[in-house]
Amino acid sequence: MSTPMQRLHRKQAWAARGALAAAAAAVLLPLVRGGPGGLLLLVVGLAGLALTVAALWWVLSRRGAVRAGAALLALATPIGLVVLFLRENLLWVIALSALLWAAAVWCGRYALRSTGLRQGRIKEYRTPPPKRPFLLLNPRSGGGKVEKFALRDKAERLGARVVLLDPERHQDVAALARTAVADGADLLGVAGGDGTQAQVAAVAAEHGLPFLVISAGTRNHFAMDLGLDREDPAACLDALTDGVELRVDLCFADDRPFVNNASFGVYGAVVQSPGYRDDKVGTALELLPDLLTRQRGPRLTAHADGTTFTDPQAVLVSNNPYRIDDPLGFGRRQRLNSGRLGVLAVKVDSAVEAAELLLDPQGVGALTAREVVIDADEPQLDVGLDGEAVTLRTPVRCRIERRVLRVRVPRERPGVPDLPPRLDWRRLRKLAAAVGRTAVPARSAHRRRPPGGEEPGR
């Protein structure tokens, strides 16, 4: 009689075999069905995809008639490919091949998901509820979510002292938070954008106080990676009475805190434009040609733990690395407590390089580091810090402080999505060939992580 572990190993092996078989069928179907002509059409399709990406590069990096022509080319090329495959009665083959590839990816992830190699959930700490919580609410954030979800009324009913920010004048939220700490506050919280969150989070970390994130901003990237409910900001207030704490990292660009990322180069310059808030797309299209071709903006050099990126158009330094290897997990952070900065450096000087970058996102200069120094040929740098435009003196030193931020979250919350494991075809081949055993390293079987816990020693 087979044991549960043996049954799991068999499922792994068959899922891996299914993934390899579906992948092979997805590749061979167009060749078998279309013959030599199918192979030629496949080459034409790939060339069309590359041409579309090149056209999009010209749209971003050129102006006037060239931009208009490139926009038409980017639109006409995929339409022409669809018409061509329809005429050759091969569109259904391409569609079926895409479905087979999707099945291969699903089976492969299932096989790898059951190996126990996934990241553990962040550890939760049970702590008593705060007695004197202090909350800052931005009534303009997220298009008026503070009023829409009656955040002030609920927070005050739960015993919090609430201060509404004045939308007509600038207020120093860090100073307001420090005053609250001096008055005896034992928790600091914010309903606002990520830039505002970061400033108050730094004060909370400085004084060792718990920090409450209320997802009332427009995008709420930090709240998303914390697993909070972004559809109902009022649910975040449940942490005041029934909450747990997460210990997460906090980052700084010089002395300016950030919870998501610091962007240098193209994006940093675009967000500094006076017209960006009113017309993001128009402002970007106006500025990008000069920025991408280096006719405007500083020449950057990024130093990250011994690795140097020379003359990139953009550098993104993030609080823990973003995933770029999978469309389903793209732009998400699996962890917020690794103690490592994520670094993405982009250097594209031609349409060909743009096509290569899109077809292979791994071509982006990506790594992790404990410290990143951004230098430039100008005395000051425009930086997008959690989406806010700031100017810092060159060079800018980015650093990460591990697990210094005590984030209080509701015990019951949607949670961070379980991001799929990266497809590893070599490991899948090992799993497919396994008989009565698994391709998982033996050490993984002995290092079981408790539910909701972290990997030991992390």
Side-chain angles (χ1 to χ4, degrees):
M1 185 174 180
S2 62
T3 66
M5 185 62 69
Q6 289 173 330
R7 289 194 292 272
L8 175 61
H9 292 171
R10 281 200 295 271
K11 288 182 179 180
Q12 288 177 344
W14 281 110
R17 291 163 192 160
L20 295 174
V27 173
L28 293 174
L29 181 61
L31 304 181
V32 173
R33 179 61 180 83
L39 178 60
L40 179 60
L41 286 176
L42 188 60
V43 172
V44 170
L46 292 174
L49 177 61
L51 181 60
T52 302
V53 176
L56 291 174
W57 166 258
W58 290 322
V59 169
L60 297 176
S61 61
R62 301 293 186 272
R63 291 191 178 92
V66 175
R67 170 178 282 176
L72 289 175
L73 183 61
L75 182 64
T77 300
I79 294 175
L81 289 175
V82 171
V83 171
L84 179 61
F85 284 116
L86 276 173
R87 286 185 58 184
E88 298 297 327
N89 195 28
L90 285 176
L91 189 60
W92 70 270
V93 175
I94 300 300
L96 181 56
S97 182
L99 289 175
L100 286 168
W101 186 258
V105 171
W106 186 89
C107 290
R109 284 179 177 149
Y110 176 83
L112 295 173
R113 190 184 294 272
S114 58
T115 61
L117 294 177
R118 290 175 291 163
Q119 292 278 6
R121 295 289 188 175
I122 189 169
K123 185 176 181 180
E124 297 177 353
Y125 296 87
R126 296 186 179 276
T127 56
K131 296 180 179 179
R132 300 189 64 183
F134 173 79
L135 304 181
L136 285 167
L137 308 184
N138 184 351
R140 296 180 62 180
S141 187
K145 289 182 180 179
V146 168
E147 181 178 354
K148 179 181 177 181
F149 290 93
L151 297 181
R152 180 175 188 174
D153 292 341
K154 181 175 181 179
E156 290 180 338
R157 286 198 304 271
L158 293 174
R161 179 191 166 203
V162 177
V163 170
L164 278 180
L165 297 176
D166 187 345
E168 302 301 325
R169 64 187 181 90
H170 172 75
Q171 291 173 277
D172 188 337
V173 294
L176 291 173
R178 288 192 175 91
T179 300
V181 173
D183 291 340
D186 59 355
L187 175 143
L188 301 177
V190 177
D194 289 325
T196 305
Q197 298 273 4
Q199 294 182 59
V200 180
V203 177
E206 176 186 344
H207 294 276
L209 296 179
F211 176 64
L212 178 65
V213 176
I214 304 173
S215 57
T218 302
R219 289 174 291 274
N220 299 298
H221 290 302
F222 190 48
M224 174 179 66
D225 290 331
L226 286 168
L228 299 175
D229 191 339
R230 295 191 298 163
E231 302 301 321
D232 181 12
C236 300
L237 293 171
D238 294 341
L240 293 176
T241 55
D242 185 21
V244 293
E245 286 187 11
L246 311 176
R247 307 291 168 83
V248 305
D249 303 335
L250 184 63
C251 297
F252 294 84
D254 288 342
D255 61 344
R256 299 292 297 266
F258 63 93
V259 293
N260 290 325
N261 56 65
S263 183
F264 302 84
V266 171
Y267 180 73
V270 170
V271 296
Q272 290 283 350
S273 175
Y276 178 73
R277 294 298 175 190
D278 298 326
D279 184 10
K280 292 181 172 62
V281 175
T283 302
L285 289 175
E286 174 62 28
L287 297 177
L288 281 175
D290 290 339
L291 293 171
L292 292 175
T293 57
R294 298 188 179 83
Q295 299 178 52
R296 175 177 175 178
R299 296 291 184 115
L300 302 178
T301 303
H303 306 279
D305 285 2
T307 300
T308 300
F309 299 102
T310 304
D311 212 16
Q313 283 111 327
V315 178
L316 185 76
V317 181
S318 60
N319 179 3
N320 287 259
Y322 291 108
R323 287 192 63 166
I324 63 170
D325 60 346
D326 194 299
L328 295 181
F330 191 86
R332 301 295 299 270
R333 290 171 289 182
Q334 183 75 52
R335 297 185 60 180
L336 288 171
N337 63 349
S338 70
R340 305 288 293 182
L341 295 164
V343 185
L344 298 176
V346 180
K347 183 177 181 180
V348 180
D349 292 318
S350 68
V352 173
E353 291 182 3
E356 291 175 348
L357 190 61
L358 186 68
L359 296 174
D360 179 20
Q362 294 297 323
V364 174
L367 50 80
T368 64
R370 293 195 180 277
E371 181 178 280
V372 180
V373 177
I374 309 296
D375 208 343
D377 60 353
E378 295 184 4
Q380 292 184 320
L381 279 175
D382 295 331
V383 185
L385 210 61
D386 283 339
E388 301 291 333
V390 301
T391 301
L392 301 176
R393 294 182 60 183
T394 306
V396 179
R397 174 176 171 258
C398 298
R399 56 188 172 86
I400 187 166
E401 295 189 6
R402 192 179 190 197
R403 304 184 186 183
V404 297
L405 187 58
R406 299 168 51 193
V407 180
R408 188 168 181 86
V409 297
R411 186 170 55 84
E412 298 294 334
R413 59 193 188 281
V416 178
D418 194 5
L419 299 181
R422 182 176 180 270
L423 279 179
D424 185 336
W425 294 101
R426 183 178 180 182
R427 185 172 296 282
L428 284 175
R429 289 195 298 270
K430 290 182 179 180
L431 281 169
V435 178
R437 59 185 177 84
T438 180
V440 184
R443 63 183 179 87
S444 298
H446 299 289
R447 296 175 66 186
R448 299 294 180 191
R449 299 170 188 166
E454 295 179 298
E455 179 182 345
R458 299 289 286 180

